[in-house]
Amino acid sequence: MTNTKINQNKISKILIVLACILSNLSQLPYFVNNGKTQIISIPIWFLSFIILLSINRFKISRHLFKLLLLTIIFIILILTFSIIYNKNYFSSSMIYSLAISLFIIIIGSLISPFFNRDTFQEIVISYVLSSLIVSIVVFIKYFGFGFSLNTRIYAYSSKNSLSQILFTSVIIFYCYFKPKNNFQNIIKILIIIFQIFMLVILRSRATILGLVIVSFFIIFSKSMNKKKKIIVIIGGILLLILLFISDNFNDIVLNNIIFAGRDINDLDNLSSGRISIIREFPILIKNNWLTGIGPFYFECFPLSAILQFGLFAGGILIYISLLPLITSIKRKSNDLWEILYFLSIGYFINSLFEGLAPFGPGIKCYFLWLLFGILFS
């Protein structure tokens, strides 16, 4: 390997590791509370794009070309709608989130020629450690002293973004990091337990549900050996037994975490008003099935895409959002594709309860699109 090639590999590795670290650290309370998350995270991605473009010939693969073509068709459609109905469809926050995701896919494709397993190992470690720093700071600041789960008030305002990052950290750390000794294995287990604990106390129920469902897929996959499967299944059975025999544990898990202190007799209240939101959908989109109604925040991504942009343009968005899952289903015999597969399932579940996932908001979903861009190319 030439010195130039070695230097390019080092530069690409440093850039992408730094981008992951800063993107995760942008969720620290100081940046969140002062509205500075994007100031911390976005510049490094633009810098990475410029430098990677300068050291690498950008070749559009057949798969990436199809994705960009779909995006162009989508843009033409909503441009047409904007002109005909005199509505600025481009002011939708979904457009911004889509643009960021596509941008990160392109960065992934630029780094793809320099990508190897050592690089991914370093990306995983940097991602996990930076997310661990954020979770420790958030825990100390918001949960460390006398916090009770017995309240409907969420302690941390950016819980959904941080929860998605922690979910990603747990999946990639479990699936890819292979401890070399018992000490590393203990550290790995402790980090995963702590990050799952943080997910629980943050009470982002959509992410918790996604983790539970993805865990079932992991248990029945080839990536988990028989011994671990038995341990996890026994542990799950013991938790269920504890749930039934312990009133205190039952109260913590069901009332304080799953139900988040809400009225269990009111399904709409229990779902944070999402039943009402879904009921409103047919009324809102009436007579606008083809073109949508324009910019409108709706807390269910698939319905939101159709509501804002109509069946065809919205369908294109939904298809793009599912591309990582669709593609990884076909190729998940490879462990990296399998990681993308697990992440895609979790992000899809999250999208059913949020308006911008799996594209946004901001760059909280960046790892999904970065890995997709690398593997897709």
Side-chain angles (χ1 to χ4, degrees):
M1 185 181 291
T2 64
N3 289 333
T4 302
K5 187 70 173 178
I6 292 173
N7 290 334
Q8 288 177 343
N9 285 344
K10 287 182 179 179
I11 290 171
S12 62
K13 184 188 297 183
I14 291 171
L15 284 171
I16 214 65
V17 165
L18 189 59
C20 289
I21 291 173
L22 290 180
S23 296
N24 288 352
L25 292 181
S26 71
Q27 294 302 310
L28 284 167
Y30 172 79
F31 301 123
V32 172
N33 295 335
N34 290 283
K36 296 182 178 180
T37 55
Q38 295 189 15
I39 294 175
I40 299 301
S41 57
I42 295 296
I44 186 62
W45 290 105
F46 277 102
L47 180 63
S48 300
F49 174 75
I50 293 168
I51 294 177
L52 287 170
L53 195 61
S54 68
I55 65 176
N56 182 26
R57 291 182 179 180
F58 180 46
K59 297 179 181 179
I60 299 179
S61 66
R62 179 169 56 88
H63 300 296
L64 185 57
F65 176 77
K66 289 180 179 179
L67 176 58
L68 295 177
L69 182 61
L70 279 173
T71 306
I72 291 171
I73 293 171
F74 170 74
I75 291 172
I76 291 172
L77 282 171
I78 61 172
L79 177 61
T80 304
F81 298 160
S82 297
I83 294 171
I84 294 175
Y85 297 101
N86 195 29
K87 292 180 182 178
N88 186 8
Y89 282 73
F90 290 93
S91 65
S92 169
S93 56
M94 197 176 288
I95 303 297
Y96 175 70
S97 297
L98 172 66
I100 289 178
S101 298
L102 290 172
F103 179 61
I104 292 178
I105 288 174
I106 292 173
I107 292 176
S109 69
L110 285 171
I111 200 175
S112 184
F114 311 111
F115 183 78
N116 55 48
R117 291 184 173 274
D118 289 336
T119 300
F120 190 67
Q121 178 89 334
E122 293 188 25
I123 291 172
V124 168
I125 292 173
S126 65
Y127 190 101
V128 171
L129 291 180
S130 55
S131 65
L132 180 63
I133 290 171
V134 176
S135 57
I136 290 173
V137 171
V138 169
F139 175 76
I140 293 172
K141 186 174 178 64
Y142 293 97
F143 301 100
F145 303 99
F147 174 80
S148 173
L149 287 172
N150 189 26
T151 174
R152 284 185 55 178
I153 299 173
Y154 294 109
Y156 188 50
S157 60
S158 191
K159 68 181 181 68
N160 290 335
S161 294
L162 178 56
S163 293
Q164 201 69 7
I165 289 172
L166 292 178
F167 163 80
T168 303
S169 177
V170 169
I171 298 302
I172 63 176
F173 198 41
Y174 170 77
C175 292
Y176 199 78
F177 181 73
K178 309 299 181 186
K180 296 179 180 179
N181 51 56
N182 289 334
F183 176 74
Q184 287 187 2
N185 192 44
I186 292 171
I187 294 298
K188 176 180 177 178
I189 292 171
L190 290 176
I191 289 175
I192 290 175
I193 289 174
F194 177 70
Q195 292 193 326
I196 291 175
F197 169 73
M198 282 300 299
L199 275 177
V200 170
I201 63 175
L202 283 167
R203 294 191 297 178
S204 178
R205 292 177 293 167
T207 308
I208 294 172
L209 176 63
L211 181 62
V212 171
I213 292 175
V214 170
S215 297
F216 278 106
F217 279 91
I218 292 176
I219 290 171
F220 294 104
S221 71
K222 295 179 180 178
S223 61
M224 179 178 282
N225 61 48
K226 188 175 181 180
K227 181 180 177 181
K228 288 181 180 178
K229 288 180 181 180
I230 293 173
I231 293 173
V232 171
I233 291 172
I234 292 175
I237 293 172
L238 291 176
L239 285 175
L240 286 175
I241 293 172
L242 189 60
L243 194 64
F244 283 104
I245 65 174
S246 172
D247 292 337
N248 288 335
F249 186 71
N250 182 286
D251 184 59
I252 291 171
V253 174
L254 292 181
N255 294 329
N256 297 332
I257 297 173
I258 296 176
F259 299 148
R262 301 177 187 275
D263 184 1
I264 61 174
N265 297 312
D266 186 342
L267 189 58
D268 191 50
N269 180 267
L270 196 59
S271 63
S272 302
R274 285 180 175 86
I275 300 298
S276 294
I277 290 172
I278 294 173
R279 284 173 182 164
E280 290 175 4
F281 176 77
I283 300 170
L284 291 170
I285 201 171
K286 187 177 180 180
N287 300 324
N288 294 287
W289 286 94
L290 292 179
T291 61
I293 65 172
F296 188 90
Y297 187 77
F298 196 85
E299 285 196 324
C300 175
F301 170 77
L303 294 183
S304 181
I306 295 171
L307 178 63
Q308 293 186 69
F309 307 112
L311 283 171
F312 190 55
I316 292 175
L317 266 187
I318 294 170
Y319 176 72
I320 292 174
S321 75
L322 291 174
L323 267 177
L325 179 59
I326 294 170
T327 312
S328 59
I329 286 174
K330 300 175 183 178
R331 309 186 186 186
K332 62 185 175 70
S333 55
N334 177 294
D335 59 345
L336 293 179
W337 279 104
E338 188 173 52
I339 290 173
L340 183 64
Y341 171 67
F342 294 142
L343 292 178
S344 299
I345 294 171
Y347 281 54
F348 168 72
I349 292 166
N350 195 253
S351 76
L352 299 177
F353 301 93
E354 291 192 23
L356 297 175
F359 296 128
I363 60 165
K364 76 166 192 174
C365 302
Y366 77 89
F367 195 87
L368 175 77
W369 301 107
L370 177 65
L371 183 57
F372 180 59
I374 292 170
L375 299 178
F376 204 49
S377 302

